[in-house]
Amino acid sequence: MAGSEFDINQLSDAQREALQTYTAVTDQELSAAVPLLQRSQWNVQIAIAKFFDGESPDPVEEARAALASTPAPQQYTRETLLNGSPAFSRSLASPPREPAPRIVPQREERSIYKPPILLSILLTPFNLLYRIISSSLGLFGYLFPFLPRFLSNLARRGPSRNSRRNTTGRRPLNPRDTAARFIREFGEEYGSHGLSFFEDGYAQAYDIAKRDLKFLLVVLISPEHDDTTVFVRDTLLSSNVENFINDPQNNIILWAGSVEDSEAYQVSSALNCTKFPFACLVAHTPQDSSTSMSTVARVSGLLPPSAFIAKLQTAVTQQKPALDRVRATRAEQQASRNLRQEQNSAYERSLAQDRERARQRREADAARAQADQEEKTKAEAARNEAQNLEAWKQWRAQQISSEPPADVKDVSRINVRMPSGERIIRRFPSNAGMEELYAFVECHGLEEKNTGAISSSKAADYDHHYKFNLVSPIPRTVYGLDSGGTIGERIGRSGNLIVEPLPEEDDEE
């Protein structure tokens, strides 16, 4: 099933989660990721291992293919003077490329068993006996030289006889430190050079070559081999080889190691190295699979620089078009991915702007509704205030005492100038309170209309406040209600007053 014809909606939730995890780690396209996960039974760990280490052929599928078709016999033609054809037909299939696995060195760590304290005390006599016997055997070994060799052969027959023993005395290190030690020893042995070795492990160089579509040149040397020094000085460090390796157009990553180290030894076993010095060129082979890394060139033994470069150049020339196609495909996919990301970003920005505009519109509508509600509340309050004031005036006008007759002597004659400029002259009893004068001014014009009218009442929850002061201009004297008193006591038998409105206060205050 082709990746382009696959509908992702057909996957289950578990398969979608596995596909998302796999693409997040490998950054592979769906067209290649889905078939690989199907071949791995939707196991993410197996699929990731196949992506980085290369996918080995399925024996079941090979057996089916072998039963379905029989191999065609190879046809040979002889070269004659008449036809000038080659000795073998060009239709012969080229030998298959060897897969180059990804090697992660496993550090050998020996666990030391520490018995409990009680068991150690019980085994102390046996430990002393073992030391006595070992000392005796050492003495016999000195007297009889063949004994150490015999004992060493017995020791090799233990459970670890199949494992590679470190007989060189080199301390195992992590890949980065191992590469740094090799580069330092290489410089000390062969002097300054122009090669740029990869300063990390083989697996890291392998991943970079696979990710960036570069060629990985692996050089393995054995210090014990007689041809190592000649190969390094005459071939590897020649100016032509250095220029070829350092040429940016060739896209070569140089990784080298000594088989005395555990990592280089494991790499030599994985790459089927049978002769030293050894070099091979590893590259991505998209013609085999979308994740395969194969050995495209092998160089074993001594070769002159020209032959060494010719082998590598041939492999680079043959493999470069395929890598260029993959690189172009990846660039196109990355451009499409960037375009989708830009479109998504633009959509998110537009969506954010729409949300912001909607939020501002909602806030403006809410503010407008609140302002309308406040206006309605204020208008209602003002209308109630006006109604209550009018009712109070009607009630208070009925409570104002009548003007005393002309023959009454104990009166105060008050001349009041209203804010409109109108002058009112009226007589009040001298013992009337100042509030009576304020009520007369407040209810001016209503006391005549209410003569004989039906009595009214004020609102129960209304508390009236006078919004003016009565002021005597010369000398200026303010006759406020706070001081209390009667009209005769405060003003006297006559007075000229001006109605002075109070400054309006803020509603909130």
Side-chain angles (χ1 to χ4, degrees):
M1 179 172 55
S4 59
E5 300 176 357
F6 187 82
D7 187 8
I8 195 172
N9 296 325
Q10 298 178 359
L11 298 178
S12 63
D13 295 339
Q15 292 175 347
R16 291 180 182 177
E17 183 178 359
L19 178 61
Q20 183 179 3
T21 304
Y22 174 79
T23 52
V25 174
T26 61
D27 197 20
Q28 192 179 22
E29 289 297 321
L30 295 180
S31 59
V34 173
L36 182 58
L37 284 170
Q38 290 177 342
R39 292 193 298 270
S40 304
Q41 301 299 323
W42 294 97
N43 190 312
V44 180
Q45 300 295 335
I46 297 177
I48 293 176
K50 287 182 178 182
F51 176 81
F52 287 107
D53 299 339
E55 186 175 3
S56 59
D58 190 355
V60 177
E61 295 297 333
E62 289 184 350
R64 291 178 180 175
L67 292 175
S69 62
T70 58
Q74 297 181 354
Q75 298 184 5
Y76 299 90
T77 58
R78 295 184 178 273
E79 182 179 4
T80 61
L81 296 176
L82 295 177
N83 53 23
S85 61
F88 297 96
S89 174
R90 294 184 180 179
S91 62
L92 291 176
S94 60
R97 285 173 291 272
E98 295 182 4
R102 182 177 183 268
I103 304 300
V104 179
Q106 302 295 331
R107 185 173 180 178
E108 299 179 0
E109 297 181 357
R110 297 181 180 179
S111 60
I112 301 176
Y113 174 71
K114 294 182 179 181
I117 298 177
L118 182 60
L119 184 60
S120 300
I121 296 174
L122 295 176
L123 295 179
T124 300
F126 297 97
N127 190 13
L128 294 176
L129 181 61
Y130 172 76
R131 292 184 180 182
I132 294 173
I133 295 175
S134 299
S135 302
S136 302
L137 290 178
L139 178 61
F140 280 107
Y142 178 75
L143 297 176
F144 304 99
F146 65 89
L147 286 178
R149 186 179 306 170
F150 175 73
L151 294 176
S152 63
N153 292 333
L154 290 179
R156 292 193 184 97
R157 297 177 185 177
S160 61
R161 61 181 180 272
N162 294 329
S163 62
R164 179 177 178 264
R165 299 177 60 199
N166 187 6
T167 60
T168 60
R170 294 171 67 87
R171 185 166 61 93
L173 303 173
N174 59 60
R176 179 179 292 273
D177 294 338
T178 302
R181 180 173 62 184
F182 171 80
I183 295 173
R184 184 183 67 254
E185 294 177 351
F186 188 89
E188 294 174 354
E189 180 70 20
Y190 302 105
S192 61
H193 55 83
L195 296 177
S196 299
F197 292 105
F198 186 76
E199 298 179 358
D200 210 334
Y202 170 81
Q204 288 72 26
Y206 183 96
D207 295 341
I208 293 177
K210 185 174 184 178
R211 182 193 63 194
D212 298 341
L213 299 177
K214 293 185 177 183
F215 294 94
L216 176 59
L217 178 59
V218 181
V219 178
L220 300 174
I221 60 176
S222 175
E224 300 177 356
H225 201 278
D226 297 336
D227 297 335
T228 298
T229 303
V230 179
F231 169 76
V232 173
R233 295 189 182 278
D234 296 344
T235 302
L236 190 61
L237 295 182
S238 65
S239 59
N240 294 333
V241 175
E242 288 183 352
N243 295 333
F244 175 79
I245 295 176
N246 296 330
D247 189 359
Q249 296 181 356
N250 294 328
N251 291 327
I252 293 178
I253 299 175
L254 176 60
W255 184 89
S258 172
V259 292
E260 291 182 344
D261 296 324
S262 175
E263 182 182 20
Y265 179 79
Q266 296 178 35
V267 172
S268 66
S269 300
L271 297 179
N272 299 325
C273 173
T274 58
K275 185 178 180 181
F276 291 100
F278 174 81
C280 70
L281 197 64
V282 178
H284 173 51
T285 51
Q287 55 269 38
D288 294 340
S289 70
S290 60
T291 61
S292 64
M293 291 285 285
S294 305
T295 304
V296 297
R298 300 171 63 91
V299 180
S300 300
L302 283 177
L303 282 181
S306 58
F308 185 84
I309 295 175
K311 278 196 170 185
L312 298 181
Q313 183 64 56
T314 301
V316 170
T317 304
Q318 292 177 353
Q319 194 63 23
K320 195 172 183 180
L323 295 181
D324 291 339
R325 288 193 296 270
V326 175
R327 193 176 289 109
T329 303
R330 289 186 181 180
E332 182 179 357
Q333 294 172 353
Q334 184 63 33
S336 301
R337 191 178 298 110
N338 294 338
L339 180 60
R340 288 196 299 270
Q341 291 178 355
E342 292 177 358
Q343 291 175 350
N344 293 336
S345 300
Y347 173 75
E348 292 295 337
R349 289 194 300 270
S350 177
L351 183 61
Q353 293 176 357
D354 294 340
R355 290 174 178 173
E356 181 64 20
R357 284 194 291 267
R359 184 188 64 81
Q360 294 177 356
R361 191 160 47 249
R362 288 194 301 270
E363 291 180 354
D365 294 342
R368 190 180 305 108
Q370 184 178 1
D372 295 342
Q373 184 65 28
E374 291 178 355
E375 290 294 333
K376 291 181 180 178
T377 303
K378 291 181 179 179
E380 183 69 19
R383 184 166 55 253
N384 293 335
E385 177 72 16
Q387 293 177 356
N388 293 332
L389 177 61
E390 186 65 23
W392 181 87
K393 286 182 177 181
Q394 295 287 343
W395 169 80
R396 189 67 181 85
Q398 295 176 2
Q399 305 298 324
I400 298 175
S401 60
S402 301
E403 184 177 4
D407 56 349
V408 178
K409 302 298 182 181
D410 191 12
V411 296
S412 297
R413 184 175 180 275
I414 306 300
N415 185 355
V416 180
R417 188 176 68 181
M418 303 298 288
S420 61
E422 180 184 1
R423 285 187 174 273
I424 303 173
I425 300 174
R426 192 179 189 278
R427 291 181 301 164
F428 295 90
S430 298
N431 58 356
M434 289 296 297
E435 196 275 336
E436 185 77 6
L437 179 58
Y438 271 83
F440 171 79
V441 174
E442 183 73 36
C443 301
H444 174 65
L446 295 178
E447 66 276 5
E448 298 177 357
K449 297 179 181 180
N450 292 335
T451 303
I454 300 174
S455 63
S456 60
S457 61
K458 66 175 181 178
D461 57 346
Y462 178 74
D463 187 12
H464 183 71
H465 297 280
Y466 294 99
K467 299 181 181 180
F468 61 90
N469 282 330
L470 295 178
V471 181
S472 175
I474 301 175
R476 178 176 174 81
T477 305
V478 178
Y479 298 101
L481 287 177
D482 298 337
S483 301
T486 63
I487 300 176
E489 295 173 351
R490 298 281 306 273
I491 302 176
R493 298 191 57 86
S494 65
N496 295 323
L497 302 179
I498 299 175
V499 179
E500 188 176 88
L502 296 175
E504 296 183 0
E505 298 180 354
D506 191 1
D507 294 339
E508 295 183 357
E509 295 177 357

